[in-house]
Amino acid sequence: MLRVHQIFLYNFLFIFGATFIVLGIISYFILRTIEVNQSTQQLKNSIALIEPQLANKRNFDDIAENVKNNTELRMTVIAKTGLVLAESHKDADEMDNHARRAEIKRAQKSRYGIIIRHSKSFGYDFLYVAKAVELFNQTVYLRMAISLERVLDDFYSVWLKITL
């Protein structure tokens, strides 16, 4: 037979463990949301910095190359028809038409198109932020992306520190 103090101890340990697990799960989702929101804001800020540079050049490949060399971000300039005009991490001529991409469709309807989705070109998930930009009397879409792996690596680091 278990004594009263043993029953109390087992119940306490069970409640403590269950509470710790529930709080861990809740904090996981809250911190993940915060990390994705911060990365989204970073991409919006990058668009704001790069947009004026696009107005001064007709060859966007130089800017894309500069973004690739100086950041871990991916930059794509897309014509209204979906034709990729420049891409920082891949040859634009080899890329599919982007007119039907979710972030481009959303950017047509609102200020920014934001989505997390799997990249066919690279084989892993990215956080994408796209914005319609008027250049040379044409609408083009400036799309910035960051690997979700990188975002989640930062998140896991923070979450692990909090857990410990």
Side-chain angles (χ1 to χ4, degrees):
M1 257 343 235
L2 292 175
R3 296 185 180 180
V4 173
H5 72 278
Q6 290 173 320
I7 293 171
F8 176 78
L9 179 64
Y10 292 144
N11 284 335
F12 174 77
L13 290 175
F14 174 76
I15 291 170
F16 180 78
T19 302
F20 185 75
I21 290 170
V22 168
L23 288 175
I25 291 169
I26 290 170
S27 69
Y28 171 87
F29 287 107
I30 290 171
L31 287 172
R32 185 177 190 270
T33 302
I34 290 169
E35 193 69 35
V36 168
N37 287 343
Q38 286 179 340
S39 295
T40 300
Q41 189 59 48
Q42 175 191 5
L43 294 174
K44 286 180 179 180
N45 292 342
S46 297
I47 287 173
L49 290 171
I50 293 170
E51 187 177 346
Q53 295 177 35
L54 294 177
N56 297 328
K57 292 191 176 192
R58 291 200 181 267
N59 182 0
F60 306 130
D61 291 322
D62 296 339
I63 298 170
E65 187 67 27
N66 192 21
V67 167
K68 178 182 177 180
N69 293 335
N70 294 304
T71 70
E72 294 181 28
L73 303 178
R74 181 177 166 203
M75 180 188 129
T76 313
V77 180
I78 304 159
K80 191 170 187 172
T81 61
L83 176 70
V84 177
L85 303 173
E87 166 60 45
S88 60
H89 287 71
K90 206 161 177 130
D91 185 9
D93 296 331
E94 296 176 6
M95 299 187 75
D96 296 338
N97 189 292
H98 281 43
R100 296 175 103 32
R101 302 287 165 97
E103 64 275 11
I104 301 303
K105 287 181 179 181
R106 290 181 182 182
Q108 291 169 348
K109 296 177 184 171
S110 65
R111 184 171 169 93
Y112 291 98
I114 302 166
I115 193 164
I116 295 174
R117 68 171 176 77
H118 189 76
S119 169
K120 294 176 185 176
S121 303
F122 290 90
Y124 46 90
D125 294 344
F126 276 91
L127 168 62
Y128 291 97
V129 176
K131 181 182 178 189
V133 177
E134 272 300 313
L135 295 175
F136 312 112
N137 298 321
Q138 299 179 40
T139 299
V140 298
Y141 297 94
L142 175 55
R143 182 182 75 176
M144 299 297 294
I146 189 169
S147 165
L148 202 57
E149 257 181 47
R150 179 170 167 244
V151 172
L152 292 181
D153 283 347
D154 293 343
F155 159 72
Y156 291 136
S157 172
V158 169
W159 194 67
L160 181 63
K161 289 175 186 173
I162 288 173
T163 302
L164 291 176

